[in-house]
Amino acid sequence: MNKFFFLPLLVLFLFSGCVNKKSYKSNTKVPKNVILLISDGTGLSQISAAYYYKNSEVNYSRFEHIGLITTHSSKEYIPDSAASGTAFSTGEKTYNGGIGILEDSTTVENIIEMASKKGVKAGIVATSSITHATPASFYAHVVDRDYEQKIALQLSNSEIDYFAGGGKKFFKNRLDNNNLYEVLKSNGFGIDTLGLTTFDVIKSHKKQGFLLSDDGMPKMIEGRGDFLSKATLLGIDFLHQNNTPFFLMSEGSQIDWAGHDNDTDYLISELIDFDETIGRVLDFAEQDGETLVIVTSDHETGGFTLAGENYTTKDGNIYSSYTTLDPKFSTGGHSATLIPVFAYGPGAELFFGIYDNTDIFHKIIKLTAWNKK
Ligand code: MG
Ligand code: ZN
C-alpha cells in the first residue's frame, strides 16, 4: 500500500469529481442533536491520504464548512489527547494528562453533564478502551489519564447513556476488587461483552454499554471490521429513540496509534474506517435535518507527510519522485500543526475560520444553549 502511482491518481480524481454534495437545507439554525467525530492524531496529510488510497468516495468531500484549530495545551506547544479532549468537552485548557480538570486540578463541568440536565441523552464510542483519554474527557475528572480504573468507576456512575469500545480489564480485574459490571447494571445499564447487537435487543434498556475487548479494540488490519460505524449508528438509534435530543462523541482512536508506530498501512486502514463512519453519520444527518455533525482531531501524530519516493540517479544523486508516493513520518510523537475542522448541519457555518480547540465547545454551547439552567 505504500507506493502510489500516477495513473490511478487521475482515475481517482475523475471519480471523486462525481461526488454529489448535498447542501444542508432547513430554516432551523439550532441543532437538536450534536455528533462530534474525533479522529485521534489526524492532520491534513492523514486526511489527504484518503484521496490517494481510498478506492471509493471520500466522505470528507461532503462538507462545505471547514475551519482550522490551534491545539496547544495550557503548558505545552504540543498537546496530548487528555488536554485536547478536555478542551473539546469543557472549553478549558489544561495540562497534558489532565482530564476534565483545570490546570490547578479543579473539576470543571463537561458538555455531557450540562446537556443531561436538559434531557439530552449522551453516548461515546471509541476504538480504544472506553476509559482512554479521548472518551474519558467526556465523563471523567482525573489529574492523570493513566488512572483508568478510577476512570472506569467514574464512567459507571456518569450521565453517559450509551457507550461502546474496549477496556473490560478496567471494569473486572481491579485493585479495589469491585466488579463494575454490577455497578453499571445497578445504574440501569444493559452490558454486552461479546459483540454489538441490534436496536431491538437494547431498546428496552434504560442505558446500554458494550465492552468488547480487554483493552483497545483490534486494529482494522487485524479484522476489527465495521465496529466503529456500526457502534456509532446503533448509538444514534438508541439515544434518539422517541426523537430525544442527543450528543454523541465517536472516536477513531487508532489513527494516533498508527502515527506513533510510524506504520502507513495501519494508519491508512484506520483513516478509511473513520471516513466510512463519517459517511454513515452524514447519511443520518441529511435525513434527520436537526443534527450538527463536527469532524475534527485532537492533534496530529507522527509528523506524517505524503512525500514522493526517493530514487538515486546513475551519478549517485538522490531525488524525490513526483509520480510515486512513499509516505514518511518525522516523529514518533505528536506535532503542533493546525488541525482541520469539518461541519455539517444547522449552525455548521459557525465552524468556518481559524480558532482554538476550546472554541469547538463554545460554538456548540452557543448553538445549543445546553449550559443554560
Ligand atoms: Mg484518543
Ligand atoms: Zn498519541
Side-chain angles (χ1 to χ4, degrees):
M1 185 130 78
N2 270 6
K3 306 289 189 291
F4 185 86
F5 297 97
F6 189 60
L7 191 62
L9 175 74
L10 281 177
V11 175
L12 188 65
F13 275 177
L14 287 171
F15 183 82
S16 61
C18 303
V19 170
N20 200 0
K21 230 179 241 177
K22 283 186 197 151
S23 286
Y24 175 73
K25 290 183 194 74
S26 169
N27 294 326
T28 173
K29 286 287 169 206
V30 179
K32 182 173 179 178
N33 317 305
V34 177
I35 301 175
L36 176 60
L37 300 177
I38 299 177
S39 52
D40 199 313
T42 302
L44 195 51
S45 285
Q46 281 86 348
I47 294 165
S48 305
Y51 288 84
Y52 297 93
Y53 293 97
K54 196 179 177 204
N55 295 320
S56 55
E57 175 186 346
V58 177
N59 289 296
Y60 281 102
S61 294
R62 294 165 66 178
F63 291 97
E64 291 176 331
H65 298 287
I66 299 165
L68 292 169
I69 48 171
T70 50
T71 63
H72 58 90
S73 78
S74 66
K75 286 186 176 169
E76 296 97 350
Y77 290 127
I78 300 176
D80 81 335
S81 297
S84 270
T86 299
F88 294 148
S89 67
T90 71
E92 299 286 349
K93 290 286 189 191
T94 192
Y95 56 89
N96 285 348
I99 286 180
I101 54 163
L102 301 177
E103 203 181 46
D104 65 1
S105 303
T106 319
T107 292
V108 55
E109 193 174 35
N110 64 49
I111 191 165
I112 287 175
E113 289 160 344
M114 292 173 188
S116 64
K117 289 180 198 154
K118 307 202 79 175
V120 178
K121 298 280 183 193
I124 47 169
V125 176
T127 56
S128 61
S129 160
I130 204 67
T131 54
H132 212 260
T134 311
S137 298
F138 289 84
Y139 60 82
H141 304 276
V142 288
V143 296
D144 188 330
R145 59 183 285 172
D146 289 342
Y147 297 163
E148 285 190 80
Q149 295 198 5
K150 195 171 177 184
I151 292 169
L153 179 61
Q154 292 187 9
L155 172 61
S156 306
N157 292 311
S158 72
E159 307 297 339
I160 300 286
D161 299 289
Y162 173 91
F163 66 83
K168 284 189 236 187
K169 69 176 185 182
F170 303 110
F171 293 80
K172 262 256 148 122
N173 312 316
R174 297 170 53 84
L175 292 171
D176 63 9
N177 289 322
N178 280 339
N179 180 348
L180 294 190
Y181 292 172
E182 296 308 319
V183 179
L184 284 162
K185 282 174 192 163
S186 69
N187 285 326
F189 276 96
I191 294 296
D192 202 307
T193 58
L194 297 176
L196 291 175
T197 55
T198 62
F199 176 65
D200 278 341
V201 174
I202 65 172
K203 66 182 177 189
S204 62
H205 301 165
K206 187 175 164 228
K207 298 183 172 204
Q208 179 64 39
F210 292 98
L211 288 167
L212 302 183
S213 60
D214 221 31
D215 198 336
M217 295 292 291
K219 301 173 181 180
M220 282 307 286
I221 50 179
E222 289 170 350
R224 190 173 73 237
D226 56 1
F227 162 80
L228 183 60
S229 55
K230 257 194 177 153
T232 301
L233 289 183
L234 184 57
I236 292 169
D237 282 346
F238 184 73
L239 299 167
H240 201 38
Q241 284 177 75
N242 309 315
N243 213 24
T244 309
F246 71 94
F247 173 86
L248 177 66
M249 191 293 296
S250 190
E251 184 200 24
S253 317
Q254 298 193 29
I255 301 162
D256 172 70
W257 300 355
H260 285 295
D261 289 353
N262 286 6
D263 184 333
T264 304
D265 290 354
Y266 182 13
L267 190 158
I268 290 170
S269 58
E270 295 295 331
L271 195 272
I272 289 173
D273 177 51
F274 185 74
D275 185 71
E276 282 299 301
T277 304
I278 292 174
R280 301 294 74 75
V281 166
L282 287 178
D283 292 346
F284 162 77
E286 282 171 4
Q287 287 282 317
D288 179 73
E290 296 183 304
T291 301
L292 171 65
V293 180
I294 304 156
V295 178
T296 191
S297 176
D298 44 4
H299 53 74
E300 195 275 345
T301 304
F304 184 65
T305 185
L306 294 175
E309 186 180 31
N310 284 339
Y311 65 94
T312 310
T313 56
K314 280 180 195 153
D315 53 10
N317 290 320
I318 297 170
Y319 290 94
S320 181
S321 168
Y322 284 4
T323 55
T324 309
L325 290 182
D326 185 16
K328 293 175 181 70
F329 296 86
S330 63
T331 175
H334 301 167
S335 76
T337 187
L338 299 189
I339 293 296
V341 181
F342 305 81
Y344 175 88
E349 59 283 349
L350 212 65
F351 292 82
F352 178 83
I354 301 178
Y355 44 95
D356 189 57
N357 59 0
T358 51
D359 291 323
I360 298 281
F361 168 89
H362 294 298
K363 287 171 191 290
I364 296 171
I365 289 298
K366 188 179 175 188
L367 287 164
T368 59
W370 283 343
N371 62 331
K372 297 273 159 54
K373 289 271 163 0

